[in-house]
Amino acid sequence: NNLIPWGQGIGYLLNDILDFNSNIRIINPAMIVGAYFQDILNKHPDKIIDVGINEEHAIVMAASMSRNNVIPIVSTYSTFFQRAYDEINHDVCRSNNHVIFLLDHAGIVSGDGSTHQGVFDIPMLISLPNMVISTPSNLYEAKKLLNIAINNKKPFAIRYPKGNILPYKEYNYNVEIGKWVVLKDICDVNIITYGDVINEFEEKMVNLNVGLINAIFVKPMDYDLLKSLSNKKVIIVEEVMKIGSLAHLIMKYNIENNLNMNIISYAIDETYLGCGTRNEIRKELGIDVDTVLKNL
């Protein structure tokens, strides 16, 4: 089981979907090579549109297509969606248009420099009405999320990192909007996180009496599960800005519902990240798995 880039895995899933769905169009602003979508271009040239370096146009076009019986999937790096915030807000979310956003290079990014860090997307999207925000931890979840996004007529964001992932493998748990996956039973101390860092936590927590929750959906949250964490210690680990993070939403819900959770947030304080590998930057920020588990 050799690792493959996340983008390549997503490309495989999309190619399979395009084989059976003639209503879907991929829109990509000049990042087909970076997104590993060359195979889609070769196999389905009529279903992928490169609009050049123009994220704003990509979003407006997607919104228009969604009003005309087309399901548009806009794919580019997380950091480039920042350029199209106005269009996402006014042209997609305000009209509740069925547009799917693939946010590649989400979270901390190795080797691409300060400008390419995908750590602002959740704070940017979280306040927008109608928006669903999700992050798969493996390609099984990614496939489930793509199918959910295609079948739910609303704005839907799927985030994934630059790094590598195991090839596709079937699992037997459900993925549904607003539901989290309990990977280790809820205890007095629990970790909530999302994305592929889940896999490292699971590996290193085998002998720890600590709960582990995969928050596949940042929005909407799993409110029933949160209620079951009442009076417990909850540690939330994220590769995004702390302000506007999942932890912020959970803290707000905790206060409003008197759940008395003891919440600790590991996320990024108000700073721009420099260069380095993902692991180096995580360690420097003190949000890497080893640091979190050491401080339990």
Side-chain angles (χ1 to χ4, degrees):
N1 275 348
N2 292 327
L3 296 173
I4 61 171
W6 262 99
Q8 191 176 340
I10 297 291
Y12 291 154
L13 296 177
L14 288 174
N15 247 334
D16 288 347
I17 289 168
L18 292 173
D19 285 342
F20 299 102
N21 196 318
S22 60
N23 277 1
I24 292 174
R25 294 294 180 276
I26 314 289
I27 303 171
N28 184 284
M31 295 301 294
I32 284 175
V33 174
Y36 290 91
F37 285 180
Q38 300 101 314
D39 285 348
I40 297 176
L41 190 61
N42 293 333
K43 192 175 180 187
H44 297 286
D46 57 329
K47 292 181 181 175
I48 185 165
I49 304 160
D50 186 344
V51 298
I53 303 175
N54 199 334
E55 292 81 6
E56 299 90 336
H57 171 57
I59 304 296
V60 173
M61 188 168 84
S64 304
M65 291 164 83
S66 74
R67 312 287 285 187
N68 289 276
N69 199 34
V70 175
I71 302 171
I73 300 177
V74 183
S75 156
T76 192
Y77 291 6
S78 163
T79 189
F80 297 147
F81 277 103
Q82 290 151 204
R83 297 175 178 173
Y85 175 79
D86 179 65
E87 288 74 18
I88 295 169
N89 182 3
H90 285 291
D91 297 282
V92 177
C93 291
R94 182 175 292 277
S95 303
N96 200 20
N97 285 323
H98 186 200
V99 176
I100 299 165
F101 302 97
L102 298 183
L103 288 82
D104 191 358
H105 285 47
I108 295 171
V109 175
S110 295
D112 283 359
S114 178
T115 57
H116 281 48
Q117 300 294 347
V119 297
F120 297 100
D121 54 6
I122 285 177
M124 179 180 79
L125 299 174
I126 209 159
S127 65
L128 294 179
N130 300 316
M131 177 66 79
V132 175
I133 306 172
S134 64
T135 312
S137 67
N138 54 50
L139 290 175
Y140 168 81
E141 289 175 7
K143 182 179 180 180
K144 293 283 188 184
L145 288 170
L146 281 167
N147 287 326
I148 292 168
I150 287 163
N151 291 306
N152 277 268
K153 298 186 186 306
K154 58 192 305 167
F156 203 110
I158 301 173
R159 314 167 60 254
Y160 52 94
K162 177 186 180 181
N164 295 326
I165 191 70
L166 284 168
Y168 185 83
K169 175 186 168 188
E170 281 287 331
Y171 294 91
N172 62 0
Y173 55 90
N174 288 329
V175 176
E176 53 184 296
I177 289 184
K179 292 295 175 191
W180 296 347
V181 178
V182 177
L183 296 172
K184 288 194 74 196
D185 289 347
I186 288 169
C187 301
D188 290 336
V189 179
N190 306 276
I191 292 172
I192 298 176
T193 190
Y194 49 84
D196 60 356
V197 72
I198 277 279
N199 305 311
E200 189 181 344
F201 270 111
E202 205 169 11
E203 199 179 291
K204 292 180 173 177
M205 287 173 60
V206 172
N207 298 316
L208 293 177
N209 190 27
V210 175
L212 180 62
I213 296 160
N214 178 5
I216 299 178
F217 290 91
V218 168
K219 185 185 176 186
M221 298 191 296
D222 190 333
Y223 298 106
D224 291 337
L225 201 153
L226 281 172
K227 284 172 185 164
S228 72
L229 296 171
S230 177
N231 298 308
K232 301 186 187 304
K233 184 175 180 180
V234 177
I235 299 160
I236 305 148
V237 186
E238 306 175 78
E239 284 184 29
V240 297
M241 305 307 287
K242 192 173 286 187
I243 297 170
S245 63
L246 173 63
H248 257 192
L249 281 189
I250 292 174
M251 288 171 183
K252 178 174 177 285
Y253 190 75
N254 182 43
I255 291 165
E256 289 172 352
N257 293 275
N258 298 312
L259 296 180
N260 197 36
M261 285 186 265
N262 173 16
I263 296 172
I264 296 168
S265 167
Y266 285 87
I268 302 166
D269 289 315
E270 199 173 317
T271 185
Y272 285 105
L273 304 185
C275 299
T277 67
R278 187 181 179 193
N279 286 338
E280 285 167 351
I281 295 169
R282 277 163 50 184
K283 194 160 191 174
E284 192 177 309
L285 293 168
I287 61 172
D288 58 299
V289 173
D290 290 339
T291 299
V292 172
L293 296 181
K294 189 177 75 182
N295 292 336
L296 288 174

